[in-house]
Amino acid sequence: MRKSRAVFLDRDGVLNDLEYNPEEGRIGSPLSAKQLRIFPYAGESVRRIKELGFKAILVSNQPGVAKRQFTHSELEKMIGKVRKELAKHECSLDAEYYCLHHPDAIVRKYRLDCDCRKPKPGLLFRAAKEHNLDLGNSFFVGDALVDVKAGRIVGCRTILLGHPTTFLSMMIEREDARPDFMLPSLKQVPDLLRSLKSEGAAAGKKAPN
Ligand SMILES: [Mg+2]
Ligand SMILES: [Zn+2]
């Protein structure tokens, strides 16, 4: 059976906005469904990615339950909200993979040095097996260097979302996590994929004599 190409998508900072918590001075993932704000372009972007022939597969670290920041049912609500928002744009994810573990978890059953918390590649290998994916022709889209690292380990091309800054450049070097591409947001991803596809098609054509 022919293998599929996938675009792996991180969730927080890719499909939805991050939150700034001034008390903790921390920028992080939303802690409730109410807090979770999907980017207005997310649904259409995912739909366009799928129209280009890619499977859209979510791969997300969600240690909030493990850290008692929210309950399992709140996590389910957040998952439901993302699905509902995407459905408004006639679009759905082909699969969703979550790591709920954390090495310092308060909740004991999640306290674990697992093989699926990004930058570890466990979830990507699992997805590849379960969906017969061609990892070498797949992409990982994330807003953090752990996403870039996980993508690189499995041989995907990586797209880091954000604005190029000197600080980020230093971090990329320090973490040895060079992305293949950098874009401001998920909104620009379908166009990049389309241009790479047509480049590939042009390269495959016989050179004129
Ligand atoms: Mg993220
Ligand atoms: Zn895990």
Side-chain angles (χ1 to χ4, degrees), residues 10-14 18 118 142-144 147:
D10 170 44
R11 195 193 78 183
D12 301 322
V14 174
L18 298 172
K118 295 176 292 182
D143 69 321
D147 302 316

Side-chain angles (χ1 to χ4, degrees), residues 5 157 193-207:
R5 308 174 76 192
R157 277 185 281 178
L193 296 174
R194 204 177 47 202
S195 72
L196 293 172
K197 212 172 179 179
S198 57
E199 253 173 46
K205 270 188 211 149
K206 219 176 149 192

Side-chain angles (χ1 to χ4, degrees), residues 28-41:
S29 300
L31 301 179
S32 68
K34 206 175 153 197
Q35 245 182 28
L36 189 147
R37 287 171 292 125
I38 300 267
F39 290 124
Y41 51 76

Side-chain angles (χ1 to χ4, degrees), residues 24-90:
E24 292 177 29
R26 197 180 63 90
I27 300 169
S29 300
L31 301 179
S32 68
K34 206 175 153 197
Q35 245 182 28
L36 189 147
R37 287 171 292 125
I38 300 267
F39 290 124
Y41 51 76
E44 199 197 328
S45 302
V46 173
R47 185 161 49 76
R48 289 183 62 206
I49 287 169
K50 291 181 68 171
E51 282 166 4
L52 288 164
F54 293 93
K55 289 200 168 175
I57 299 183
L58 187 82
V59 177
S60 175
N61 290 349
Q62 290 296 331
V65 178
K67 293 179 179 175
R68 286 227 176 98
Q69 290 171 319
F70 47 80
T71 62
H72 208 281
S73 84
E74 193 62 40
L75 176 65
E76 293 293 336
K77 272 190 211 161
M78 287 192 247
I79 291 171
K81 186 168 180 181
V82 172
R83 287 182 190 156
K84 210 170 123 193
E85 294 289 323
L86 294 181
K88 284 184 193 164
H89 298 267
E90 276 101 63

Side-chain angles (χ1 to χ4, degrees), residues 1-208:
M1 203 175 90
R2 204 166 148 232
K3 291 194 167 190
S4 307
R5 308 174 76 192
V7 173
F8 295 108
L9 300 161
D10 170 44
R11 195 193 78 183
D12 301 322
V14 174
L15 295 181
N16 56 271
D17 219 345
L18 298 172
E19 294 291 324
Y20 181 58
N21 180 330
E23 276 128 64
E24 292 177 29
R26 197 180 63 90
I27 300 169
S29 300
L31 301 179
S32 68
K34 206 175 153 197
Q35 245 182 28
L36 189 147
R37 287 171 292 125
I38 300 267
F39 290 124
Y41 51 76
E44 199 197 328
S45 302
V46 173
R47 185 161 49 76
R48 289 183 62 206
I49 287 169
K50 291 181 68 171
E51 282 166 4
L52 288 164
F54 293 93
K55 289 200 168 175
I57 299 183
L58 187 82
V59 177
S60 175
N61 290 349
Q62 290 296 331
V65 178
K67 293 179 179 175
R68 286 227 176 98
Q69 290 171 319
F70 47 80
T71 62
H72 208 281
S73 84
E74 193 62 40
L75 176 65
E76 293 293 336
K77 272 190 211 161
M78 287 192 247
I79 291 171
K81 186 168 180 181
V82 172
R83 287 182 190 156
K84 210 170 123 193
E85 294 289 323
L86 294 181
K88 284 184 193 164
H89 298 267
E90 276 101 63
C91 160
S92 64
L93 296 161
D94 291 290
E96 299 165 47
Y97 290 89
Y98 298 92
C99 167
L100 303 187
H101 311 115
H102 195 276
D104 305 319
I106 299 168
V107 180
R108 195 148 180 197
K109 73 168 176 173
Y110 296 123
R111 195 189 309 147
L112 162 71
D113 207 1
C114 63
D115 70 354
C116 56
R117 181 172 160 78
K118 295 176 292 182
K120 295 207 178 136
L123 293 178
L124 297 176
F125 283 130
R126 211 174 107 199
K129 206 171 151 193
E130 291 176 358
H131 296 272
N132 194 32
L133 303 177
D134 176 0
L135 288 171
N137 280 305
S138 295
F139 292 82
F140 198 118
V141 182
D143 69 321
L145 295 183
V146 291
D147 302 316
V148 174
K149 281 182 166 180
R152 283 177 58 117
I153 292 169
V154 303
C156 288
R157 277 185 281 178
T158 54
I159 304 171
L160 178 65
L161 304 185
H163 290 279
T165 60
T166 311
F167 172 72
L168 190 53
S169 166
M170 271 164 48
M171 292 302 291
I172 287 170
E173 211 148 293
R174 186 188 299 172
E175 295 287 318
D176 189 23
R178 291 183 199 182
D180 294 291
F181 305 96
M182 235 193 123
L183 293 173
S185 77
L186 180 65
K187 196 177 180 182
Q188 291 80 28
V189 170
D191 283 340
L192 172 70
L193 296 174
R194 204 177 47 202
S195 72
L196 293 172
K197 212 172 179 179
S198 57
E199 253 173 46
K205 270 188 211 149
K206 219 176 149 192

